[in-house]
Structure formats: structure tokens, C-alpha cells
Amino acid sequence: MTATTGPANALGVKAGEAVMEIGWDSDCDESLRAVVAEAADGDLLDEDSDEVVDVVLLWWRDEDGDLVDALMDAITPLADHGTVWLLTPKSGRDGHIEAADIAEAAPVAGLQQTSTISASKDWQGTRLV
């Protein structure tokens, strides 16, 4: 699977875009991270970066805390017309977040949910703009 046909394409990541990753942990999908970095033609920026970014990958699990606060933090470095991809464990996996919780948190943070995809075997992605 290449970056042009796989998850990075579904996430809409393009060459030259700055991509920040928030919430990385050992349970994150390394192959998804690799194809996103390949599609962006650069390294993923960590959450301590001061750069303005085009895309934020927010890895989030139910036990990670307040989703609204996390979304507010995710939009801080985001460029106008940027995208937040909320990556959450799929249903039946540890840390799964109900779709209703995402639908409730997004507008409070000033975001609108536009689509949800299967980002990898264990993770789904919810596009927020």
C-alpha cells in the first residue's frame, strides 16, 4: 500500500504539508504514521512544535481526559482551512470513544465533523474542520 492509495490519501495529506501529531503512544499504528509522513514528504511534527500546520493527527482514547480540551489544543497550531484528524480506537477496542461523544465535543471546540474513515486495522479517523 502506497501513500497515494492508502490511508494517507484517505486523510488527504499532500506533499509539502506540515503535519503535527498529538497523543502518540506505543499503541498508535506505526504503519499509518509512516505513510502519512511519506505523503507529506517530511517528518511528523510533535506537539511541542511552534510551527503552523496544515493537518493535526490527534490520537485519542477514552481514558485520555477531556476531548473538548484536546480539540482546543489541536486547533491552536492549525492554519486557516486546516484539518484535524481525530484518530480513535475502533469499536470493541480498548479506549474506544462513542461517535456521539465526538459529535458533542467537536462543535464546542469550534469544529465540524465531516467524515469518518477506517484509518487502520485498529484505528478510525474522524475529519474535523
Side-chain angles (χ1 to χ4, degrees):
M1 183 179 321
T2 67
T4 58
T5 61
N9 186 52
L11 295 175
V13 176
K14 297 174 183 59
E17 288 188 324
V19 180
M20 178 180 282
E21 180 178 46
I22 300 173
W24 178 89
D25 205 341
S26 60
D27 64 341
C28 294
D29 189 293
E30 293 301 319
S31 62
L32 177 60
R33 295 177 74 237
V35 296
V36 169
E38 179 186 340
D41 200 25
D43 293 332
L44 301 179
L45 302 169
D46 67 29
E47 55 196 279
D48 295 329
S49 173
D50 291 331
E51 290 189 43
V52 174
V53 298
D54 303 294
V55 179
V56 171
L57 300 181
L58 175 58
W59 300 93
W60 197 256
R61 302 137 199 96
D62 185 46
E63 64 275 1
D64 284 345
D66 187 278
L67 181 56
V68 173
D69 288 344
L71 292 173
M72 296 294 288
D73 290 343
I75 61 175
T76 300
L78 200 60
D80 293 342
H81 309 294
T83 302
V84 174
W85 276 100
L86 177 61
L87 300 167
T88 58
K90 288 183 175 178
S91 181
R93 312 260 187 334
D94 285 344
H96 172 71
I97 296 173
E98 295 296 328
D101 293 338
I102 297 169
E104 182 179 309
V108 174
L111 294 165
Q112 179 179 1
Q113 181 176 339
T114 61
S115 61
T116 301
I117 64 164
S118 175
S120 71
K121 177 181 163 238
D122 294 321
W123 294 84
Q124 67 184 15
T126 303
R127 184 175 185 264
L128 304 169
V129 295

